[in-house]
Amino acid sequence: MSFLHRHRNLTPYLLLAPGLLYLGIFFVVPLGFLLHQSLQSGNFDVGYAFTWAWGNYWDAIRGYRGHFIRSFEYAAIATVLALLFSYPLAYWIAFRGGRWKNLLLLFIVAPFFVTYLIRTLAWETILADQGPVVRVLRDIGILGQDGRLLATSFAVVAGITYNFLPFMALPIYVSLEQMDGRLIEAAQDLYASKWKAFVRVTLPLSLPGVVAGTLLTFIPAAGDFINAQLLGSPRNHMIGNVIQSKFLELTDYPAAAAMSFVLMAVILLMVALYARAVGTEKLTG
Amino acid sequence: MSTPDVRLVDVTKRFDDVVAVDDLSLDVESGSFFALLGPSGCGKTTTLRMIGGFEQPSEGCIFLGEREVSGLPAYKRDVNTVFQSYALFPHLSVFENVAFGLRRRSVRGETLRGRVEAMLKIVGLAGMGRRKPRQLSGGQQQRVALARALVNKPQVLLLDEPLGALDLKLRKQMQLELKAIQHDVGITFIHVTHDQEEAMTMADRIAVMNDGRIEQLGTPTELYETPATAYVAGFLGVSNLIHGTVSGSDSVRLDRGPEVRVSAAALNGRTGHVAVGIRPEKIELGNGQPNALEGKIVEQAYVGVATQYIVETDCGRLTVYRQNASPGLNGASPGDRTTLSWSPDSSFVVDSMEESE
């Protein structure tokens, strides 16, 4: 007690300490290992040696450029789709939900009660060639007689959109929910129609939620491999699939580690550009 | 008299089975400072929101000038509102907050800038245009809210408890400022408040509301000097009500006291049971006036400009204010017997509420 009194300015750091320690041990240290590994050469049988093998990075970029681009494409499309579905949903719950609000929020979170893998497997069944969706789409002529949904980029993007929707909807809901409803009345009082009031007041004030939601969706989606694996064909594989197979199947650890770093670097760059474009104050509200 | 700026004709507003506003009719004269005064739940805010277009009446019509506006949404009415706790747009600068209404009406460029800056100057915020609302004090936010509404030169400005969030001193200052601004711009102000002192300081005319109805409408002086009902007498300032029975064209026999004189105008033809009201500052300690009651001082409180006495009489406890015109206390102290007296012209008469109790 007296120690803390004398060193009052230490208190915030002491409070931060457990979190920092955790991050240090379970994030920074493994990241260091990974970085070390990415510069090794050799193979599983003869062993790996640290050789400043920068070539691993070059190979990752040159050999898998298509996978990287596809990852960001899928992640971007899924993020935009999730935003388009989530915003009206969050808006409706926040402003029209009334006493059902909490129940409706529970419905959004409900899929989390089932593990990610099982949920995605469920989609495999839904989109299967013998499944009801394909049959109906074939009957009404949207799909050809041998058209399919499974093993297409559509299925992968749909899966990602579905799996990350709550991460988009919840932050948007929070930013809308905490908005003072009188601001909309004030806008209408100042001659703004409902639509104008939305564009000029509601939308800008919900941007912190939109920004948080897009980041929470885009970042994990870009590194995802489950959806591509279960719902796509090898033509739809993303960089996550490559990293996963290099690590677990081909045991080419240095190449996998280098790819992970390239992925991380590109995502960081994109997030930085995005934050700059929308303004950092939107991130903190 | 010119056409009133705002006219409510037989307006009723129901929320489910609760009647918030009950068959209310009202004319607000152009260019006046009008107050709707009453306790919370009396329907004053609902009335204001119906004029603003945030609620639609269940029955009746609302006119702005010649034009019927019932049914029109808020954004199509030439009315602006200063909201309780202001509702400033937190993501916009002070300048953009004030410019919001003008931009919606396609005012652009130099005209826009000129009008916004002139208005910021009127409310004493010149040079603050680039700040965000959260960087301003409560009083300054209040001024932004006022500027944001007034800059549009609305036909009517609505103020919903605009000073409620300010501390007492600032509130007093803003009351006078608001009145001065209203005088300068000449726009009709309709002001909702539960604070009788605020209403009396600012408004030319006050409607005292109770249970969705107007209890009495008049100038502050009329309401204070000649309240029409016991409710109004009790809501505006302190009043002593003494029950009695009318005993002549200008006299009332008190239930537990002597006969007192009242003005025939105040009695206004009433018969039977009534209550005679006397304001505390109109009662003298001593027998200098025609109507008198004996009593004993039970409490004394020095409140600066006046000393307040509570005097026990046969007709109940009466409150008396005596102005502290000379230094020190006035001499009378608790336990002293005293005579209270007042002039017949200083009293008013209201219907007795006892029957309904």
Side-chain angles (χ1 to χ4, degrees), chain A residues 85-96:
Chain A
F85 290 130
S86 297
Y87 202 100
L89 186 70
Y91 185 94
W92 196 86
I93 296 176
F95 294 121
R96 301 282 139 81

Side-chain angles (χ1 to χ4, degrees), chain A residues 180 182-194 196-197 200-201 204-205 281 285, chain B residues 49 54 74-75 77 79-81 83-85 87-91 100-101 104-105 148 152:
Chain A
D180 183 353
R182 274 169 310 182
L183 293 177
I184 299 165
E185 282 193 350
Q188 290 178 0
D189 183 69
L190 295 163
Y191 321 120
S193 61
K194 282 195 169 166
K196 275 277 179 204
R200 296 286 169 189
V201 179
L205 285 173
E281 65 192 78
Chain B
R49 289 173 60 81
F54 304 112
Y75 68 91
R77 298 190 186 192
V79 168
N80 291 111
T81 309
F83 290 85
Q84 197 174 6
S85 66
L88 299 178
F89 304 122
H91 59 300
F100 195 94
R104 302 287 85 71
R105 295 191 149 181
R148 183 176 73 171
N152 306 297

Side-chain angles (χ1 to χ4, degrees), chain A residues 39-50:
Chain A
L39 297 171
Q40 291 173 353
S41 53
N43 62 52
F44 189 71
D45 299 319
V46 302
Y48 303 97
F50 185 79

Side-chain angles (χ1 to χ4, degrees), chain A residues 182-276:
Chain A
R182 274 169 310 182
L183 293 177
I184 299 165
E185 282 193 350
Q188 290 178 0
D189 183 69
L190 295 163
Y191 321 120
S193 61
K194 282 195 169 166
W195 171 247
K196 275 277 179 204
F198 173 77
V199 172
R200 296 286 169 189
V201 179
T202 314
L203 189 61
L205 285 173
S206 65
L207 270 188
V210 171
V211 170
T214 46
L215 290 178
L216 285 175
T217 306
F218 181 80
I219 296 172
D224 186 77
F225 65 92
I226 299 279
N227 288 283
Q229 178 131 334
L230 297 180
L231 305 175
S233 71
R235 282 178 296 115
N236 312 117
H237 274 186
M238 298 164 70
I239 195 65
N241 299 89
V242 180
I243 295 173
Q244 188 253 354
S245 97
K246 292 245 181 221
F247 255 119
L248 298 181
E249 287 155 31
L250 307 175
T251 60
D252 188 355
Y253 300 141
M259 274 176 212
S260 300
F261 268 96
V262 173
L263 178 64
M264 201 156 44
V266 177
I267 290 177
L268 270 176
L269 185 72
M270 286 178 158
V271 169
L273 290 174
Y274 181 61
R276 207 167 161 176

Side-chain angles (χ1 to χ4, degrees), chain B residues 15 31 33 63 80 114 141 144 151 161 220 225 231 250 255 286 345:
Chain B
F15 294 103
F33 199 133
F63 294 89
N80 291 111
Q141 292 183 16
V144 177
V151 75
E161 305 261 7
E225 302 284 345
Y231 178 84
D250 62 351
D255 289 349
D345 293 333

